[in-house]
Amino acid sequence: MDSLRAKPIELIFSVLGLIIIFSACNSTAELPRLVQPPKPDGTLSFLVVGDWGRRGSYNQSQVALQMGKIGKDLNIDFLISTGDNFYDDGIISPYDSQFQDSFTNIYTASSLQKPWYSVLGNHDYRGNVYAQLSPILRDLDCRWICLRSYVVNAELVDIFFVDTTPFVDKYFDEPKDHVYDWRGVLPRNKYLTNLLTDVDVALQESMAKWKIVVGHHTIKSAGHHGVTIELEKQLLPILEANEVDLYINGHDHCLEHISSINSGIQFMTSGGGSKAWKGDVNHDWDSQEMRFYYDGQGFMSVYISEAKLRVVFYDGFGRVLHRWSTYKKGVYSDI
């Protein structure tokens, strides 16, 4: 990634006739920016899945099958992975068979042959981080796009991908038997300070009608991991100050929608790509905040137009579990 940030770069990436231009800024104080064209009518549709990479097991293949069907129905433009892309310990090299077995050979539907914008999760940091960031993976499967932190500009929406794992204290203070690949992150305080500044500046400069932030870790959640205190303290104030519309994460192996009572931010968890944690939920949430929780496998879709944003959650059989929509000026419906 350091080399990507060091100089301007433009790559032409084609998937089924779709051309996407990638451009990285030449300043180390700016996040790399990728360009994702919307449909001719200006709208966008995409799927979000997280915590999936298990070589098809724990119903990963079943979820992938339904993603293919919904992706076709919605004519999606791209997909987002919320991290923990490869279990249990990331990948060891760009040629690790885990990449083919958990990604290329699983998400085979024609509708899923679109760009996959991905972030790293804590399990990915237990492997070779540079392998997941390597352009070699894009040579092996041109859908794969993974950087630490970056922005996808899609005209009416800017999507900000944030590397959240280095924020979490316990990975440094109490790693147990796990070994994390902190290359490119240390010294940690400098890395986090620069990242928070970069995200804040990018959000302030955004002229898009909608702003979405994606990270692996929860900010608010009733699931197993619950609230991530470090992100609540350090990242959330920046999101609130910049009027972010959605924060989308994985980490908790569930599907979830929480509304902020302090701002307009909606917190969406899509971490049901494979292994789920049945019954592992904290019920001590205000009903005004907790809009939806499902402790099984599944994924979510997002549709965006100039005036409207719609989120739909699906289970592993493709059944609709929860719908939520908003106009730019306020909530439209909650079904």
Side-chain angles (χ1 to χ4, degrees), residues 189-209:
N189 287 341
K190 181 178 180 181
Y191 179 84
L192 295 179
T193 298
N194 289 342
L195 176 54
L196 289 169
T197 299
D198 293 350
V199 171
D200 191 18
V201 169
L203 283 166
Q204 290 182 40
E205 293 178 345
S206 174
M207 301 299 291
K209 291 185 178 295

